Amino acid sequence: MVDDPKKESRLLKSAEEFLQIFRKGEEFTKSILKENERLRFRIAELEEALKQNSNSQRIKNYEERIAVLEKELDSLKKRFQEVEKENRDFAVRFVEIEEENNNLANLYVASYQLHSTLEYDEVLKILIEIIINLIGAEKFSILLVDEKTGDLVPVATNGISIDEIPRIEVGKGIIGRVAKEGESHFPETISHTDEPDPTSPLVCIPLKIKDCTIGVIAIYSFLLQKRAFSSIDYELFNLLAGHAATAIFSSKLYTQSERKLSTIKGFIELLTEKHN
Amino acid sequence: MPNILVVEDSPTMRQLISFAMRRVPDAKVIEAADGVDALKKLSQEKIDIILSDINMPVMDGLKLVSLVKNNPTYKNIPVIMITTEGAEEDKKRAIAMGADDYLSKPIQTQELIKLVKKYLELK
């Protein structure tokens, strides 16, 4: 209790002032809190907006990137298809070249062997080997034009007796016609017969030196496993037509000249002995 | 370096097969004219594969394959028979004697190379 009324009044006034200051402080705090809440809400709003904005931009970027990549993928797919096609073409070409290479090797061997000797019998033997091993013929004969009669006479056979092959007049039948015209005779397909007709071969190839036919190769049957003609067969027919003819002709001339030489030598020796 | 023994009495076929074998990487071709000659070459060189004809003078291919497959030193060498016989019976006969494979004449060079490579890889 204050005894002095003046003092009491002063105290009351001070208290009143303090209370007012306190109330103002309270109001200020409340308004700050409210402002704080508003700002926090605003921040949240902005953050959300930013997030939204950032996601849509990212999606847009991704979409653009996907479009570019899809374009690249299409272009790569196209290139891949082109390369694949090229690859297939190269593979086909490789097989063709391999085949060509094999054919050339076969032709080289055939040609090399045919010209490897000047012995007539040896040439005929090699020719028979080529016809069996490279063409795949089973029964065949080689007929040469007889210089005296002009007829085709069998000189070698395989799989068939030489006695079964008749002399053939040039121009008559398949064999005679091939010898006359100088053009090969061959069917589209190969047929297998047990008893072939010696005058009617399946394949007949002329043996030609330039335009002159010196004989023919008559094939009556092929090995069972040979079912069709391949490109190498036709090449071999052409090769045989030329190379076999020259090989036979030159070996025949060589053998004849050797025989004549030996006769002359014997004659000279005889004369020398008589002279001595 | 694989050594390939080509047993064939026909010089034409020998040359043809030897030519084809040039396409087997690093291969060395040794040639023999018949079965006896082949056995001689087998004793002189280390052979990795034998390509043999059936019909040959002195000793034929079937006798050769039988001797090779019954010899402990040579029995693991693959033997491919090459012959004019195309019948299934002949093929069976060659296989029964111990041949590993069989090719009929006229031989397809690519087929032969493929077969040789296959057996050389298996070794």
Side-chain angles (χ1 to χ4, degrees):
Chain A
M1 275 289 279
V2 182
D3 294 332
D4 191 357
K6 277 186 180 175
K7 204 175 180 180
E8 192 180 347
S9 158
R10 238 185 1 256
L11 270 170
L12 278 171
K13 199 180 172 185
S14 296
E16 192 66 32
E17 281 171 0
F18 178 77
L19 203 63
Q20 271 180 3
I21 290 167
F22 183 80
R23 276 183 191 140
K24 274 183 187 172
E26 188 190 3
E27 273 172 23
F28 183 69
T29 305
K30 273 181 184 170
S31 78
I32 281 173
L33 280 171
K34 204 175 171 185
E35 183 63 16
N36 189 14
E37 196 179 343
R38 192 186 66 80
L39 287 171
R40 272 164 63 186
F41 182 73
R42 181 75 187 129
I43 286 167
E45 266 181 355
L46 287 170
E47 271 179 349
E48 186 61 28
L50 192 68
K51 203 173 164 186
Q52 290 278 333
N53 200 21
S54 155
N55 276 351
S56 65
Q57 185 60 42
R58 208 177 298 162
I59 287 165
K60 202 180 165 193
N61 287 345
Y62 282 144
E63 278 172 353
E64 278 171 9
R65 185 85 189 109
I66 285 168
V68 170
L69 288 172
E70 268 178 351
K71 210 173 165 187
E72 264 177 37
L73 184 68
D74 283 345
S75 145
L76 283 172
K77 268 184 187 170
K78 209 176 158 190
R79 184 77 194 111
F80 179 73
Q81 279 167 352
E82 280 171 7
V83 171
E84 220 178 19
K85 192 183 170 292
E86 258 177 41
N87 211 11
R88 272 199 302 271
D89 291 345
F90 280 132
V92 170
R93 189 82 193 102
F94 180 76
V95 171
E96 282 173 1
I97 289 169
E98 276 260 301
E99 205 182 320
E100 190 80 4
N101 198 12
N102 291 336
N103 291 351
L104 284 172
N106 288 359
L107 293 174
Y108 168 78
V109 171
S111 171
Y112 179 89
Q113 289 294 332
L114 275 172
H115 297 289
S116 64
T117 178
L118 279 170
E119 295 294 325
Y120 176 69
D121 292 337
E122 192 72 17
V123 170
L124 285 181
K125 197 180 150 202
I126 291 167
L127 184 55
I128 288 172
E129 278 179 7
I130 291 169
I131 300 170
I132 298 172
N133 296 315
L134 294 183
I135 293 180
E138 188 189 30
K139 292 177 182 175
F140 57 90
S141 65
I142 301 162
L143 298 101
L144 294 181
V145 174
D146 187 329
E147 284 165 19
K148 288 173 189 164
T149 62
D151 288 345
L152 288 157
V153 182
V155 290
T157 58
N158 185 74
I160 189 166
S161 166
I162 200 160
D163 301 328
E164 288 180 51
I165 315 294
R167 290 175 78 97
I168 291 168
E169 205 178 308
V170 172
K172 283 197 172 173
I174 294 172
I175 297 174
R177 200 179 65 237
V178 167
K180 191 183 176 187
E181 293 170 3
E183 293 291 328
S184 296
H185 161 87
F186 40 81
E188 290 286 310
T189 52
I190 295 174
S191 55
H192 294 279
T193 48
D194 289 334
E195 291 297 322
D197 177 2
T199 58
S200 181
L202 278 175
V203 171
C204 195
I205 309 150
L207 299 171
K208 285 165 70 181
I209 297 172
K210 285 196 172 174
D211 292 332
C212 178
T213 303
I214 64 149
V216 296
I217 296 167
I219 302 173
Y220 308 109
S221 70
F222 287 88
L223 296 169
L224 274 176
Q225 61 269 29
K226 176 108 179 169
R227 306 219 177 270
F229 293 120
S230 59
S231 57
I232 183 69
D233 291 328
Y234 299 110
E235 298 277 354
L236 273 166
F237 292 157
N238 288 333
L239 177 116
L240 290 177
H243 285 248
T246 49
I248 288 173
F249 190 74
S250 49
S251 66
K252 213 172 166 185
L253 280 181
Y254 178 77
T255 309
Q256 281 171 359
S257 59
E258 277 284 289
R259 207 180 299 138
K260 278 179 188 167
L261 185 68
S262 112
T263 311
I264 292 166
K265 267 185 185 169
F267 189 64
I268 290 169
E269 272 170 23
L270 198 75
L271 283 175
T272 319
E273 273 172 25
K274 270 193 177 178
H275 184 71
N276 289 338
Chain B
M1 192 170 81
N3 283 346
I4 302 169
L5 179 61
V6 177
V7 193
E8 172 64 74
D9 60 319
S10 151
T12 311
M13 275 306 286
R14 268 208 311 273
Q15 195 184 16
L16 191 80
I17 298 169
S18 301
F19 236 84
M21 290 305 105
R22 284 185 186 182
R23 297 228 293 285
V24 175
D26 304 320
K28 181 186 164 193
V29 178
I30 297 138
E31 295 182 4
D34 54 58
V36 173
D37 194 15
L39 289 174
K40 198 174 144 194
K41 298 279 163 62
L42 270 167
S43 66
Q44 291 167 347
E45 306 244 14
K46 186 198 160 286
I47 301 296
D48 295 288
I49 191 164
I50 301 170
L51 309 178
S52 175
D53 186 15
I54 286 188
N55 299 315
M56 287 182 294
V58 191
M59 183 194 285
D60 68 21
L62 292 175
K63 179 77 182 162
L64 171 70
V65 75
S66 153
L67 288 173
V68 167
K69 291 296 178 181
N70 284 306
N71 185 317
T73 318
Y74 308 136
K75 67 177 183 183
N76 291 327
I77 301 173
V79 182
I80 299 172
M81 305 304 289
I82 303 167
T83 187
T84 44
E85 275 75 34
E88 199 60 29
E89 203 58 41
D90 295 308
K91 194 172 175 177
K92 279 181 188 164
R93 203 155 57 102
I95 300 291
M97 297 297 270
D100 294 82
D101 229 309
Y102 186 98
L103 266 185
S104 304
K105 290 179 189 174
I107 57 158
Q108 301 298 312
T109 319
Q110 265 155 300
E111 207 180 327
L112 176 66
I113 295 167
K114 212 170 140 185
L115 207 56
V116 168
K117 280 183 180 171
K118 179 187 137 186
Y119 280 100
L120 286 176
E121 274 169 21
L122 282 178
K123 277 198 82 186

